[in-house]
């Protein structure tokens, strides 16, 4: 999906209806900052807001996902394109998550033998330190790569305002987490809560 194009379309349709960002946000019961974010192409409405937004702007969901008015002749074609794009985005996110898990696993497999060898075999102290050092470098590098892949796969959804966002790397690494959630500060409402990992932005 082209979020910049969709954002411009939302802005154009809002203006066509004569709404300010504040007025539209009040109708949808969200903050005007969220509308501004959508219109700048920095986010996309969550699923529960798609129909209310489209109803207020008098457009279809298909037109919203396309970022333009769609004629009846092109409607089916655009709907198919939008579905394919959504599925593709979800699949790419899944691949990144799987790759992240594989990198983490391979890192452990590569580093553990170095620690075991350095502790079990007779060797000079400098060799032992060298092997342990290599083990830590492998672990640090593997964790960094796994974190980058996982952070870029999809986004996190705030439980308060339901906006989706990708945290910066520092917030991502420092946030306590479970398998599917990470404690983050929402950049839109400021809530510091466990945000759910989602596959689409």
């Amino acid at each position: 999906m082209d979020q910049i194009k969709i954002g411009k379309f939302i802005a154009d349709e809002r203006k066509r209806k004569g709404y300010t960002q504040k007025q539209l946000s009040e109708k949808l019961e969200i903050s005007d900052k969220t509308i501004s974010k959508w219109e700048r192409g920095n986010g996309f409405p969550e699923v529960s807001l798609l129909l209310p937004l489209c109803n207020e702007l008098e457009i279809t969901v298909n037109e919203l996902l396309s970022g333009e008015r769609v004629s009846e002749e092109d409607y089916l074609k655009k709907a198919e394109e939008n579905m394919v794009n959504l599925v593709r985005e979800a699949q790419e996110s899944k691949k990144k998550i799987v790759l992240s898990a594989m990198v983490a696993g391979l890192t452990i497999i590569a580093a553990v033998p170095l620690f075991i060898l350095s502790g079990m075999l007779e060797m000079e102290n400098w060799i032992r330190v060298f092997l342990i050092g290599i083990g830590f470098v492998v672990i640090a590098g593997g964790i960094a790569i796994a974190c980058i892949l996982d952070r870029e796969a999809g986004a996190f959804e705030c439980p308060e305002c339901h906006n989706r966002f990708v945290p910066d790397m520092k917030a991502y690494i420092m946030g306590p987490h479970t398998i599917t959630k990470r404690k983050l500060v929402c950049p839109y409402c400021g809530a510091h809560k466990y945000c759910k990992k989602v596959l689409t932005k």
Side-chain angles (χ1 to χ4, degrees):
M1 288 185 301
D2 186 339
Q3 289 192 349
I4 300 294
K5 183 179 179 183
I6 291 170
K8 184 177 182 309
F9 181 61
I10 292 172
D12 290 343
E13 293 302 312
R14 172 182 59 77
K15 291 170 187 171
R16 184 182 62 79
K17 290 283 291 182
Y19 294 151
T20 63
Q21 288 182 345
K22 183 74 173 170
Q23 288 170 327
L24 181 57
S25 69
E26 287 171 354
K27 289 178 180 296
L28 298 175
E29 298 179 355
I30 56 175
S31 74
D32 56 341
K33 289 180 182 176
T34 301
I35 302 293
S36 175
K37 177 195 74 165
W38 296 344
E39 293 185 357
R40 291 193 318 271
N42 293 332
F44 187 77
E46 64 167 275
V47 174
S48 64
L49 289 172
L50 289 180
L51 287 176
L53 174 63
C54 290
N55 288 338
E56 286 298 334
L57 298 180
E58 296 179 355
I59 59 175
T60 65
V61 173
N62 195 21
E63 289 173 326
L64 177 65
L65 295 175
S66 300
E68 61 187 1
R69 289 282 180 173
V70 179
S71 67
E72 287 185 29
E73 300 83 44
D74 294 336
Y75 192 86
L76 186 58
K77 181 183 174 190
K78 283 289 185 182
E80 289 173 352
E81 286 177 9
N82 290 329
M83 286 298 290
V84 168
N85 288 337
L86 288 172
V87 170
R88 183 182 297 125
E89 185 180 345
Q91 286 177 339
E92 286 173 1
S93 293
K94 280 181 185 176
K95 284 179 186 174
K96 286 180 182 176
I97 290 170
V98 169
L99 188 57
S100 169
M102 287 174 62
V103 167
L106 289 172
T107 297
I108 292 168
I109 291 169
V112 168
L114 293 172
F115 294 132
I116 292 172
L117 286 174
S118 67
M120 289 180 61
L121 300 178
E122 287 292 324
M123 61 182 72
E124 297 283 331
N125 280 341
W126 71 269
I127 297 174
R128 192 180 316 279
V129 169
F130 181 70
L131 287 175
I132 291 171
I134 290 175
F136 279 119
V137 168
V138 168
I139 287 174
I143 289 172
I145 292 169
C147 286
I148 290 168
L149 289 169
D150 187 59
R151 186 183 77 92
E152 291 177 354
F156 289 88
E157 186 175 293
C158 173
E160 291 293 314
C161 67
H162 303 290
N163 279 310
R164 294 180 179 188
F165 63 95
V166 176
D168 62 37
M169 187 54 77
K170 181 180 177 185
Y172 176 85
I173 291 172
M174 300 303 289
H177 61 279
T178 63
I179 293 172
T180 59
K181 295 183 179 181
R182 190 171 290 266
K183 195 168 189 180
L184 300 164
V185 176
C186 175
Y188 304 106
C189 70
H192 188 211
K193 298 205 170 181
Y194 278 93
C195 301
K196 184 174 71 173
K197 180 80 171 181
V198 292
L199 294 178
T200 55
K201 297 176 185 175

